[in-house]
Amino acid sequence: MKKIILFLSSLLVLLIMTSCSKNKLNVKVLDATLNEQFIKEHTTYGAYYSESIWDEEEQSYIYEFFIDETSSEEHIIILSSSEEVDLIFESLPLVDFEKNNVIIYCYTTVYGHREKIIKESYIKDNILYITFVEKMSRPGVGDASMPKTSHLIVSVRKDNFDQVKVKVE
């Protein structure tokens, strides 16, 4: 009898935890690679970028760094079909566009190589809200760099939204 009660209470806890999930829209971070042209076209304000310049004297390219002071602070792109995938990505895991959208969020950060973890997602007034965190490296590991444009790429279940707002915590 104790085993049955223990099993049922464990099942109840599991059901409660699953129903209280803050990611009910099945938002998943995708391991994808954007192509260079897309990255150049979607640089964000405050990010550093480099350009190669041919040096006649040295007979080689030198790289100069510039800071973007004209672009917007963020770019949000919603892909609802596979038609644009080849123009944007070098690689993208298989996405069922009948059921899902792909969202690309471009923003400036000094922690460009940190793992991105979805904290919360919900829809309110036809706006999809996504909150994510950049997971810290272990203590003592310096992972900051000069400001750069970073990208959060997620798949999300198609639902009733026509706008996306993203928050980094």
Side-chain angles (χ1 to χ4, degrees), residues 33-40 85-90:
T33 306
L34 296 164
N35 70 35
E36 288 299 317
Q37 185 65 31
F38 180 87
I39 292 170
K40 282 183 181 180
V85 167
D86 291 338
L87 301 173
I88 295 174
F89 293 97
E90 286 184 13

Side-chain angles (χ1 to χ4, degrees), residues 48 54 81 92 108 111 132 140-141 146:
Y48 283 80
W54 180 253
S81 70
L92 176 72
T108 302
Y111 303 110
F132 74 97
V141 175
M146 69 175 119

Side-chain angles (χ1 to χ4, degrees), residues 107 111-118 132-138 143 168-169:
Y107 64 103
Y111 303 110
H113 298 290
R114 288 187 175 181
E115 179 183 359
K116 296 159 182 70
I117 301 170
I118 302 300
F132 74 97
V133 295
E134 296 175 315
K135 183 180 176 186
M136 277 189 66
S137 300
R138 63 183 194 275
D143 63 349
V168 185
E169 288 188 345

